[in-house]
Amino acid sequence: MPSPSTEPAVWIHLTAYQDAAAASRLLKCLAAQSRSPNQIRIIDNSPIPLDISPLGLPIEIDHQPTNLGTAGAINRSITAAQAQGIDYLWLLDQDSEPSAHLLAELLAAHQQLANSNRAPVGIVAPLTRNRDDAQINLPMRLDRFKPQKLDPTELPIRAELLPAAGMLLHIPSIAKAALPSDRYFLDCYDFALGLAVQEIGASIWVIPDLELSHQVSSKIKISTPAGEQLVTDMPADRVELLHRNMTYLLTRHSKGIDRVAAALNQGFKALKHARRIWKYQLEDRNSKSCAAIRGWLLGLFSLAQQRN
């Protein structure tokens, strides 16, 4: 267990999958950090191990060819950090590009918030900005049965739902949190983690003047009567996963009439997504639109085993 008198022990978690170039770009960013981590844990979910140069960094590569997904990979690193008595775990993935002082700034922000709050501070995070379209991914709170976006201010924002990439976890403060199921695989694990941390009385804060360059989802350029637009696109199995996980999460965190409202609201969103897929004439649109509805129906009943 790290001594209170010493500098806190910090690990960095990286989920990698079939893109050695992206992982290498991130490692270059980490090599430039003004605050060096004690260890960088790379969970490599690729079928064949990626060829990754350590660049002199303290790297541990954990190859998982069966593909744990984002959920299983992060859970694995959190569990390891808890077992080793690590103070902080910084969550990134291969699409992240942190600025040189971001880790140091997040650590300082956590210390400041921890000193000014009675409740333990479980997570601090920067805003994430998509590289494709420069849009901010707004943090959210759960408003009865649906997420509510929070507008950035100059002060730290108390939130519950935000992207995992960029989260700095204070491991002692989240020790009692029940980690979300590995079956979330990709989508909504970060939301489930935020709710689990909030449920044990620990707080989650977004620091608006800190940003992480990231790409939450792929976007394609399409032509419309109003001109060219960037539209989110994903394979059919990912569309199903997104709606299944979000429906499951929101209905399990709602009670009574709010649970019914959550189910109906997510069904409406699945229908809107299906219509949008057809409107923009995306490739394989029949499979993708059906996947949205199928995912919603599956999420009403269970978080089914992920198909590999």
Side-chain angles (χ1 to χ4, degrees):
M1 182 74 68
S3 168
S5 62
T6 63
E7 190 175 56
V10 181
W11 282 5
I12 296 177
H13 163 89
L14 163 60
T15 305
Y17 182 69
Q18 292 190 314
D19 194 340
S24 297
R25 284 194 300 271
L26 174 56
L27 289 180
K28 288 180 181 178
C29 293
L30 297 182
Q33 288 295 306
S34 57
R35 195 337 182 150
S36 299
N38 297 81
Q39 181 174 288
I40 300 172
R41 284 179 51 86
I42 300 176
I43 307 295
D44 180 5
N45 282 330
S46 310
I48 300 173
L50 297 178
D51 183 12
I52 300 174
S53 173
L55 301 177
L57 294 167
I59 288 177
E60 176 191 352
I61 299 179
D62 183 358
H63 183 225
Q64 296 292 327
T66 57
N67 191 358
L68 302 178
T70 299
I74 293 177
N75 282 344
R76 192 172 178 85
S77 285
I78 292 175
T79 301
Q82 290 172 334
Q84 294 297 316
I86 299 305
D87 298 298
Y88 294 96
L89 180 66
W90 193 24
L91 305 183
L92 299 171
D93 68 28
Q94 63 190 22
D95 294 319
S96 305
E97 292 184 4
S99 57
H101 300 294
L102 187 53
L103 176 55
E105 290 167 333
L106 286 170
L107 289 167
H110 181 269
Q111 289 296 320
Q112 184 176 5
L113 286 166
N115 291 336
S116 60
N117 285 271
R118 291 186 179 181
V121 178
I123 300 174
V124 295
L127 290 173
T128 58
R129 186 182 294 274
N130 289 335
R131 284 193 297 277
D132 277 356
D133 57 10
Q135 294 296 308
I136 289 286
N137 300 297
L138 293 175
M140 295 182 283
R141 290 196 190 110
L142 184 59
D143 180 17
R144 293 176 52 212
F145 61 87
K146 61 183 178 181
Q148 178 188 39
K149 292 182 179 180
L150 304 172
D151 292 328
T153 64
E154 294 182 357
L155 299 174
I157 304 167
R158 185 85 178 259
E160 293 169 347
L161 313 176
L162 60 154
M167 284 184 180
L168 181 70
L169 310 183
H170 185 235
I171 297 300
S173 294
I174 68 169
K176 295 182 180 180
L179 296 181
S181 171
D182 289 358
R183 293 183 177 184
Y184 277 101
F185 198 68
L186 292 174
D187 296 287
C188 305
Y189 169 88
D190 39 15
F191 291 0
L193 178 61
L195 291 172
V197 169
Q198 185 265 342
E199 284 175 356
I200 63 167
S203 57
I204 303 161
W205 296 87
V206 176
I207 314 302
D209 57 352
L210 301 181
E211 286 191 11
L212 173 67
S213 176
H214 187 61
Q215 191 57 50
V216 172
S217 58
S218 62
K219 294 180 181 288
I220 61 171
K221 189 176 292 186
I222 64 168
S223 297
T224 70
E228 289 189 334
Q229 291 186 15
L230 285 173
V231 176
T232 300
D233 192 21
M234 58 185 73
D237 58 351
R238 181 74 184 273
V239 172
E240 179 181 313
L241 190 69
L242 171 64
H243 288 280
R244 184 200 76 180
N245 289 0
M246 199 66 178
T247 300
Y248 178 86
L249 178 68
L250 294 179
T251 53
R252 270 44 178 199
H253 281 83
S254 305
K255 296 180 180 180
I257 193 65
D258 284 344
R259 178 169 290 186
V260 176
L264 294 175
N265 186 61
Q266 288 306 118
F268 177 65
K269 287 190 172 183
L271 285 169
K272 282 184 66 176
H273 192 180
R275 289 184 60 188
R276 192 163 60 248
I277 289 168
W278 276 94
K279 174 183 176 181
Y280 293 127
Q281 299 184 359
L282 300 182
E283 184 179 352
D284 196 23
R285 56 186 177 273
N286 187 55
S287 296
K288 291 175 182 177
S289 57
C290 290
I293 307 303
R294 184 168 58 248
W296 168 62
L297 292 171
L298 290 172
L300 293 174
F301 300 101
S302 68
L303 201 59
Q305 182 65 48
Q306 168 66 20
R307 298 195 302 269
N308 290 322

